[in-house]
Amino acid sequence: MKDKTQDLRTADQGGASSVQLRLQDADMKLLQVFAHVAEAGGLSPAQYGLNMSLSAVSAAISNLETRLGFRLCDRGRGGFQLTEGGLLVYQELRSLSVAIGSFNRSVQAYTSDMQGQFNIAMDDAILTNLSCPIYKVIQRFAAQAPEISLNITIMSAPQMERALLNNELNIAVGPFQELSPSLRGETVYVEQQLLCCGRLNPIYDLYDPDEIEKAVTKAQYSKRSFDDRDRHQAPGPFTSAATAATMEAMLAMVLSGLYLGYLPRHACEPWIERGELKSVLPQVFAYDTEIQLVSRKAHGDKRVDLFLTALAETQS
């Protein structure tokens, strides 16, 4: 007798064999990897959020394609693009995530208002800013609800917004630009973004503002790879030549001297003091970003209300 977890093969009307896939735990893990890849817009940008090597991500996608029997995405020199089958799988995964999120909330509400897993996502380099009180909020929240299991992960702002709308997150903290009408945000603090160049970049040794502005328009620029909605607020124009998925990756790009790039003030100041970086005309190119704590408006979760209360108490 076949094991029930194996694929079941049945004959179709034409006599050919078809595969009826039964999902296993391993399949769900592969599907989660694929969802991250689809949201990140490629295998390389997804590896950081997944904490996996590029080869491991590629192997996971290949294994899933083998299990399903069709290609999910094109990932050659022409760039990354979901196939028709890949788009179908991704859309079904979003529906599945909503259903699982609803199931988890219902079970948690039945068990206790102040139990279960509480999912928080943050943009990278948030907690390294001394102005960020989130660790104090978590401390206060956990003291008032000790039976809650906290789960904290790092995501980009677009990924966090999608996860909130899919009921995969309870709270998100990051630099959101335009929120969905279904979400609400509370400003946690304001972060200044500085256009920086490395010591090896020719702009580093310029001092005349007019010369610097002209040089900036011709320089190569590294942008955050998750900015897939073209909502970058920074003054421009810039010639994008590279992308960076995390703040540390952006720092490496700028320190190399090959690219200009935006870094939060708190992240670049130590390097500026050491003479490895220079802020490029902050009076012209610097801009402020609001770091917000975001939740669903109609969450129906007392734990979210408790977290928002902890934020208000911490800020006061």
Side-chain angles (χ1 to χ4, degrees):
M1 182 179 296
K2 280 191 174 182
D3 187 283
K4 292 183 179 180
T5 61
Q6 294 180 348
D7 293 343
L8 297 181
R9 298 184 179 274
T10 58
D12 60 19
Q13 293 180 351
S17 63
S18 62
V19 177
Q20 179 181 348
L21 180 67
R22 286 191 174 186
L23 292 180
Q24 306 175 27
D25 289 343
D27 295 320
M28 294 306 299
K29 293 179 181 179
L30 295 177
L31 286 167
Q32 289 174 358
V33 172
F34 170 67
H36 276 278
V37 170
E39 291 174 354
L43 277 66
S44 182
Q47 63 179 319
Y48 303 102
L50 289 167
N51 195 25
M52 296 170 62
S53 67
L54 183 59
S55 59
V57 176
S58 178
I61 297 300
S62 296
N63 290 340
L64 181 59
E65 289 176 332
T66 299
R67 288 283 289 150
L68 295 174
F70 55 85
R71 287 185 61 80
L72 294 169
C73 54
D74 296 321
R75 43 193 185 275
R77 292 184 177 179
F80 175 86
Q81 186 173 4
L82 293 178
T83 63
E84 183 178 354
L87 182 60
L88 170 66
V89 171
Y90 178 62
Q91 291 172 341
E92 292 298 324
L93 277 175
R94 293 186 65 178
S95 299
L96 179 61
S97 295
V98 172
I100 292 175
S102 177
F103 171 81
N104 288 336
R105 289 195 309 278
S106 297
V107 172
Q108 289 169 3
Y110 177 80
T111 304
S112 173
D113 289 335
M114 292 299 163
Q115 290 186 356
Q117 182 168 286
F118 193 78
N119 297 307
I120 303 172
M122 291 185 283
D123 190 31
D124 73 303
I126 289 289
L127 288 178
T128 52
N129 188 333
L130 296 179
S131 299
C132 180
I134 292 300
Y135 73 95
K136 297 179 181 178
V137 178
I138 293 174
Q139 186 179 49
R140 184 184 293 269
F141 173 73
Q144 296 178 16
E147 296 186 11
I148 287 178
S149 175
L150 287 173
N151 176 47
I152 302 178
T153 187
I154 302 298
M155 293 183 180
S156 68
Q159 288 174 329
M160 285 189 281
E161 184 169 347
R162 285 191 286 267
L164 281 168
L165 293 173
N166 289 340
N167 298 321
E168 299 167 357
L169 291 176
N170 301 103
I171 291 290
V173 184
F176 296 89
Q177 301 284 339
E178 298 175 4
L179 289 175
S180 163
S182 300
L183 304 176
R184 67 174 181 180
E186 302 283 343
T187 299
V188 180
Y189 65 95
V190 176
E191 175 86 274
Q192 187 178 42
Q193 307 290 327
L194 299 177
L195 181 65
C196 295
C197 71
R199 183 170 54 85
L200 300 178
N201 192 292
I203 295 177
Y204 188 95
D205 295 319
L206 297 179
Y207 293 94
D208 181 80
D210 292 334
E211 289 186 16
I212 294 175
E213 285 199 56
K214 291 179 182 178
V216 166
T217 61
K218 299 177 182 179
Q220 295 190 99
Y221 171 72
S222 178
K223 62 181 289 187
R224 295 292 295 273
S225 59
F226 65 72
D227 194 10
D228 56 355
R229 301 183 188 180
D230 196 24
R231 301 179 304 177
H232 196 53
Q233 288 185 339
F238 299 112
T239 302
S240 296
T243 57
T246 66
M247 201 58 64
E248 285 192 351
M250 179 66 76
L251 182 60
M253 291 285 199
V254 178
L255 284 170
S256 73
L258 298 175
Y259 308 98
L260 304 182
Y262 274 93
L263 291 164
R265 174 180 285 276
H266 80 274
C268 63
E269 275 188 336
W271 296 92
I272 292 175
E273 293 172 359
R274 292 171 55 182
E276 296 295 331
L277 292 182
K278 182 178 181 180
S279 176
V280 180
L281 293 184
Q283 68 274 21
V284 176
F285 294 111
Y287 69 100
D288 290 335
T289 296
E290 286 190 0
I291 304 300
Q292 297 184 73
L293 189 151
V294 178
S295 61
R296 295 184 300 275
K297 288 181 179 178
H299 54 75
D301 191 335
K302 293 182 180 179
R303 301 170 304 166
V304 173
D305 292 331
L306 181 62
F307 198 94
L308 294 174
T309 299
L311 172 65
E313 292 173 350
T314 301
Q315 289 180 321
S316 63

